[in-house]
Amino acid sequence: MKTIPEPYRIKTIEPIKLLSRGQREKKIREAKFNLFRLRSEDVYIDLLTDSGTSALSDNQWAGLLQGDEAYAGSRNYYHFVDTIKEITGFKHVIPVHQGRAAENLLFTTLLKKGDIVPSNTHFDTTRANIERQGAIALDFITEAGKSFDSDYPFKGNMDLEELRRLVKKYGKKRIPAGTMTVTNNSGGGQPASMENIKSASRILHRHGIKLLFDACRYAENAYFIKKRESGYARRSVKSIAREMFSYADGCTVSAKKDGLSNIGGFIALNDDKLATEISDLLILLEGFPTYGGLAGRDLEAIARGLREGLEEDYLDFRVNQVAYLGRLLEKVGLAVMNPTGGHAAYVEAGSYLPHIPRKQFPAQALTVALYREGGIRSCEFGGAVYTHVDRRSGKVKSAPMDLVRLAIPRRVYTRSHLDYVAEVFRKVEKKRNEVRGLRTIYEPPKLRIFTVEFEEI
Ligand code: F0G
């Protein structure tokens, strides 16, 4: 069959409304041209993020009613732990309220000033949590991974030569751990291959350095391995995921992605001493170790969501839905990151709006145009997010590309929603020369995208 329909049917609906053009104009101005500052009720199709925006299944809703809200030893905690141990094989599981809390606990415990943490690409909250410890976060992405057009199937791979050089130079004393973001969100939702994971693991382990995953989208990564890497076609996604985790020493996970949940996350790892230290800090920052900042019902929704996130008919549909959006946008004439990633289509705004110089944030300007034209909320992954001062050189580093990410919430939108998105792009296309650049009027020092304010030039 050529069509891959949703492997579910709709039981509950949530109405959405498109504001009038005049209202949209007012709202985007009030939001200072930063779409994070819009009210969700003023958005028609919300592709801001795939994080925490999934629709729960009837099975998860049923699980919510079975929440055991005891302060200590909730039965949902044990279900949560058993599920994560079964999927990852790690010895210790620590619940947290979301991914960045996991990063904070892990890096506060693991890092000291001056340490170095190499990665394929650190997500921005991960980078910020590392830098907060006075440590250095380095991105080692391969040439293919940096290329927008390359059709290399594993553009999330780590550059192993760079990793080898760094590890040889600084060793375990300066590098307590390396991380791999799977899939690589900041690099376009691209997967890392099993071979690359295995090699990175070998290089780090040879020097006694840990490999940790930022495994928010591990199921999508495992699915890509099944489809693209030789030797995996007949294996279940679940067993591929288990093999991926077998090369690592632990992971941080935001369950708001492949955990198909609206909140939550965890750290899973093997090191007894590190687990104890993190659990002690958890009590101070998040809560007692059997709930870690979550309600019992949330733990249950995550345990069930993690299993559903590994179902192959679901993953088939999901990855194809993203590819479908990518193809539609290509037809409109946009440069779409090739191949499309697991959770989002990324389009390049710099070449699309050549009249807007990079310092006037062409990608952010495109997100504004999409909202104006059709109430679509998307997310800038360019200068507005990534401009930062490099700790090693002290120089201002700009983003490698000016991208707009159209992230697809899991199990939420249908094909006609995506057709509508493409139609809005077609309308923007007709007046793209009128799209105006932006200048910042307020910038926070870190994680600027969430609160930065702009005015139009
Ligand atoms: N790591 C990756 C790769 C992520 O994509 C995110 C969140 C986090 C860590 C942090 O998790 O939000 O639960 O604290 N990404 C969201 C996004 C915000 O839109 O891509 P969190």
Side-chain angles (χ1 to χ4, degrees), residues 9-197:
R9 53 191 178 188
I10 295 166
K11 194 174 326 219
T12 308
I13 58 108
E14 179 186 1
I16 49 175
K17 287 211 166 60
L18 179 62
L19 298 185
S20 70
R21 184 172 289 273
Q23 285 169 321
R24 297 198 296 274
E25 186 60 39
K26 182 164 172 275
K27 298 292 178 188
I28 194 67
R29 285 179 182 278
E30 281 170 4
K32 310 279 188 218
F33 304 100
N34 177 352
L35 287 89
F36 279 95
R37 299 170 66 99
L38 287 171
R39 288 183 185 218
S40 116
E41 63 193 10
D42 297 334
V43 173
Y44 188 45
I45 306 285
D46 201 346
L47 306 183
L48 183 70
T49 179
D50 64 320
S51 179
T53 50
S54 306
L56 300 191
S57 65
D58 54 356
N59 175 47
Q60 284 174 295
W61 280 111
L64 289 174
L65 282 176
Q66 290 172 18
D68 167 2
E69 306 305 342
Y71 188 89
S74 153
R75 75 172 161 261
N76 312 114
Y77 165 75
Y78 294 103
H79 185 200
F80 175 88
V81 169
D82 290 346
T83 305
I84 293 165
K85 284 187 177 173
E86 185 187 316
I87 292 170
T88 65
F90 293 127
K91 207 166 146 192
H92 304 284
V93 176
I94 299 163
V96 294
H97 81 274
Q98 67 179 82
R100 66 200 73 181
E103 294 157 7
N104 179 22
L105 290 165
L106 174 73
F107 295 128
T108 303
T109 312
L110 188 67
L111 299 181
K112 58 183 186 314
K113 202 169 173 212
D115 280 349
I116 306 170
V117 185
S119 177
N120 49 353
T121 313
H122 293 282
F123 182 67
D124 48 356
T125 58
T126 323
R127 167 178 293 281
N129 271 301
I130 291 170
E131 292 179 348
R132 196 165 154 259
Q133 302 305 322
I136 299 162
L138 295 181
D139 294 339
F140 289 163
I141 195 73
T142 60
E143 282 310 310
K146 285 180 206 157
S147 152
F148 193 74
D149 305 314
S150 155
D151 58 3
Y152 188 69
F154 292 104
K155 287 163 79 171
N157 280 354
M158 177 99 113
D159 185 327
L160 299 171
E161 271 319 303
E162 290 226 55
L163 182 67
R164 231 177 247 123
R165 264 200 298 275
L166 184 87
V167 162
K168 231 170 143 186
K169 187 162 172 197
Y170 293 105
K172 186 183 166 175
K173 276 213 172 103
R174 287 283 302 280
I175 311 171
T179 75
M180 284 184 81
T181 311
V182 288
T183 59
N184 184 14
N185 185 10
S186 312
Q190 302 291 324
S193 70
M194 193 72 88
E195 195 187 323
N196 186 260
I197 290 170

Side-chain angles (χ1 to χ4, degrees), residues 148-149 326-327 329-330 334-338 340 345-348:
F148 193 74
D149 305 314
R327 284 196 302 274
L329 300 183
E330 245 164 29
L334 283 125
V336 179
M337 180 174 290
N338 182 38
T340 40
Y346 293 67
V347 302
E348 209 273 311

Side-chain angles (χ1 to χ4, degrees), residues 214-228:
D214 176 344
C216 302
R217 300 179 181 86
Y218 77 99
E220 288 165 8
N221 200 96
Y223 177 85
F224 282 123
I225 289 176
K226 179 179 171 104
K227 293 290 164 182
R228 297 179 182 173

Side-chain angles (χ1 to χ4, degrees), residues 352-372:
Y352 187 67
L353 301 171
H355 61 289
I356 303 179
R358 290 203 71 186
K359 62 176 197 297
Q360 292 178 13
F361 307 106
Q364 185 69 22
L366 182 55
T367 67
V368 171
L370 292 170
Y371 179 75
R372 267 198 177 120

Side-chain angles (χ1 to χ4, degrees), residues 313-331:
D313 55 353
Y314 153 74
L315 285 164
D316 267 333
F317 171 75
R318 164 121 187 107
V319 168
N320 273 284
Q321 190 185 33
V322 175
Y324 175 74
L325 177 62
R327 284 196 302 274
L328 289 182
L329 300 183
E330 245 164 29
K331 277 191 203 147

Side-chain angles (χ1 to χ4, degrees), residues 141-295:
I141 195 73
T142 60
E143 282 310 310
K146 285 180 206 157
S147 152
F148 193 74
D149 305 314
S150 155
D151 58 3
Y152 188 69
F154 292 104
K155 287 163 79 171
N157 280 354
M158 177 99 113
D159 185 327
L160 299 171
E161 271 319 303
E162 290 226 55
L163 182 67
R164 231 177 247 123
R165 264 200 298 275
L166 184 87
V167 162
K168 231 170 143 186
K169 187 162 172 197
Y170 293 105
K172 186 183 166 175
K173 276 213 172 103
R174 287 283 302 280
I175 311 171
T179 75
M180 284 184 81
T181 311
V182 288
T183 59
N184 184 14
N185 185 10
S186 312
Q190 302 291 324
S193 70
M194 193 72 88
E195 195 187 323
N196 186 260
I197 290 170
K198 213 191 290 186
S199 304
S201 165
R202 213 177 289 134
I203 293 167
L204 292 165
H205 285 164
R206 205 176 291 139
H207 290 78
I209 300 169
K210 287 183 173 31
L211 172 62
L212 303 169
F213 287 149
D214 176 344
C216 302
R217 300 179 181 86
Y218 77 99
E220 288 165 8
N221 200 96
Y223 177 85
F224 282 123
I225 289 176
K226 179 179 171 104
K227 293 290 164 182
R228 297 179 182 173
E229 192 162 349
S230 85
Y232 290 94
R234 289 167 174 278
R235 294 261 303 272
S236 71
V237 171
K238 190 174 169 200
S239 88
I240 295 170
R242 180 73 185 240
E243 183 183 336
M244 282 166 55
F245 286 115
S246 76
Y247 301 118
D249 303 280
C251 61
T252 53
V253 173
S254 163
K256 299 168 74 174
K257 284 84 171 172
D258 284 353
L260 291 170
S261 295
N262 302 126
I263 196 70
F266 58 89
I267 302 170
L269 74 177
N270 286 331
D271 186 322
D272 299 332
K273 186 166 164 279
L274 190 58
T276 307
E277 281 173 27
I278 292 173
S279 287
D280 289 345
L281 189 59
L282 180 82
I283 297 173
L284 178 69
L285 296 180
E286 290 276 290
F288 191 71
T290 65
Y291 72 85
L294 293 166

